[in-house]
Amino acid sequence: MRHLDTESLGMLIAIVDTGGFTAAAERVGRTQSAVSARIAQLEVSLGVRLLERSRRGIALTETGERLVAHARRLLAFESEALADLKGGTPEGSVRLGMPDDYVDAYFTPTIARLAAAYPRVEISIRCDLSKNLEPEVERGQIDVALVTRDLTRPTGELLKKEKLLWLGARGHRPERGETLPLALFPTGCRARPHIAAALDKAGRSWRVACTSSSHSGIYAAVETGLCITALPECAAPPEWRRLGPAEDLPPLPDTEVGLLIAPAASPAARRLAETLRAALSVPTVVVAA
């Protein structure tokens, strides 16, 4: 009777997540040749090809994609069962994703709380636009993510609403110019269309003076005094000016912070999600389909 070897499945997942045999071997603590041999044995045992190898790299076959989805769930269930039987605290690695402007407000205090409660959990963080993080959670490449929800197609669990604020550095008045100069996150940022729509509706001329994928880049651009920006309240530097009608700037809609959890999330990942939920949750939680 054929059976699935969980160690080999873990190696297959490591290859998918890291993009190659060498990095996968480092992750699982085995040699590259040992990992390659185990995957070959798995393919022979199942009678199917799981990986396509070419000069461009390694890609899953259709069968491989299906197996990896099952494998993530199997390993998560195994980890949860072992943790329950041991009666101990969760351990292992957890992959957390969030936009860069959420890190100081949400990740910094949460990591301290989680480290104190679960010292054997290792957290790796990936910062990117919410629209890029969402599919990675669905594919199991990220375990837990905080995202800015798409107000037209909200997904995940609503944790908190954040005011979107107009902000400018002290000692500078770039908003007085005929055309409003802005520092914004790249196209794809969930707040960017709302900022543009509000200005267009108000008839205010504007231009993008600086684009940055990092909060530090936005901060540096605004501090020069060449432009202003709009950020969620949680990411607003306290020393900056809050702008509004007095500067001929229109009101902006609130943003929504959502929590996403991978279908096969481990007990450690679920504890991280619980910690985030406790830190950010609003009285009324809405789960969107």
Side-chain angles (χ1 to χ4, degrees):
M1 179 182 294
R2 295 176 182 174
H3 69 280
L4 293 173
D5 172 19
T6 55
E7 185 177 6
S8 296
L9 293 178
M11 292 180 181
L12 179 62
I13 290 173
I15 292 169
V16 173
D17 290 346
T18 62
F21 282 88
T22 301
E26 292 177 359
R27 173 185 284 192
V28 300
R30 303 291 292 274
T31 64
Q32 180 178 342
S33 60
V35 171
S36 180
R38 290 295 289 271
I39 297 303
Q41 291 171 7
L42 182 62
E43 290 180 322
V44 171
S45 173
L46 297 175
V48 295
R49 180 173 291 279
L50 302 173
L51 297 171
E52 293 288 355
R53 301 162 179 83
S54 68
R55 292 182 178 179
R56 292 179 295 178
I58 299 170
L60 285 169
T61 63
E62 182 180 347
T63 303
E65 290 178 353
R66 285 161 35 210
L67 178 60
V68 165
H70 289 302
R72 292 190 191 277
R73 291 193 291 270
L74 283 171
L75 294 179
F77 291 147
E78 179 187 51
S79 177
E80 188 170 357
L82 291 173
D84 180 61
L85 293 173
K86 290 178 181 178
T89 58
E91 58 183 51
S93 61
V94 179
R95 298 157 299 181
L96 172 66
M98 65 176 63
D100 191 73
D101 52 341
Y102 285 175
V103 171
D104 287 343
Y106 299 144
F107 178 67
T108 302
T110 301
I111 186 64
R113 183 183 304 183
L114 190 80
Y118 311 113
R120 290 183 292 178
V121 173
E122 175 190 349
I123 299 178
S124 60
I125 182 168
R126 168 165 154 64
C127 295
D128 203 343
L129 297 176
S130 297
K131 77 179 189 69
N132 296 333
L133 296 173
E134 289 172 349
E136 292 187 12
V137 175
E138 293 177 7
R139 293 192 296 264
Q141 295 172 314
I142 291 178
D143 301 303
V144 180
L146 285 180
V147 299
T148 302
R149 302 210 305 174
D150 182 346
L151 299 181
T152 63
R153 296 183 301 103
T155 58
E157 177 183 340
L158 174 62
L159 294 187
K160 186 177 183 181
K161 290 189 176 183
E162 284 279 359
K163 294 184 181 298
L164 194 58
L165 304 177
W166 292 112
L167 301 163
R170 294 191 181 278
H172 303 281
R173 297 292 186 273
E175 69 275 8
R176 291 180 177 175
E178 183 177 347
T179 299
L180 183 69
L182 298 175
L184 298 176
F185 285 100
T187 300
C189 167
R190 293 271 164 81
R192 185 164 170 155
H194 299 294
I195 296 168
L199 291 170
D200 290 342
K201 184 177 180 180
R204 184 74 191 265
S205 176
W206 60 277
R207 68 181 180 88
V208 177
C210 175
T211 298
S212 175
S213 59
S214 72
H215 183 267
S216 59
I218 298 293
Y219 183 90
V222 174
E223 275 293 296
T224 64
L226 298 177
C227 50
I228 68 168
T229 191
L231 292 172
E233 189 171 22
C234 70
E239 68 273 20
W240 281 2
R241 297 177 297 126
R242 272 57 174 169
L243 311 177
E247 290 79 23
D248 195 27
L249 293 171
L252 294 169
D254 291 346
T255 60
E256 295 183 350
V257 181
L259 175 68
L260 299 174
I261 307 173
S266 67
R270 294 190 181 279
R271 292 295 176 87
L272 172 59
E274 291 170 6
T275 303
L276 290 167
R277 186 181 292 113
L280 281 78
S281 61
V282 294
T284 302
V285 176
V286 177
V287 178

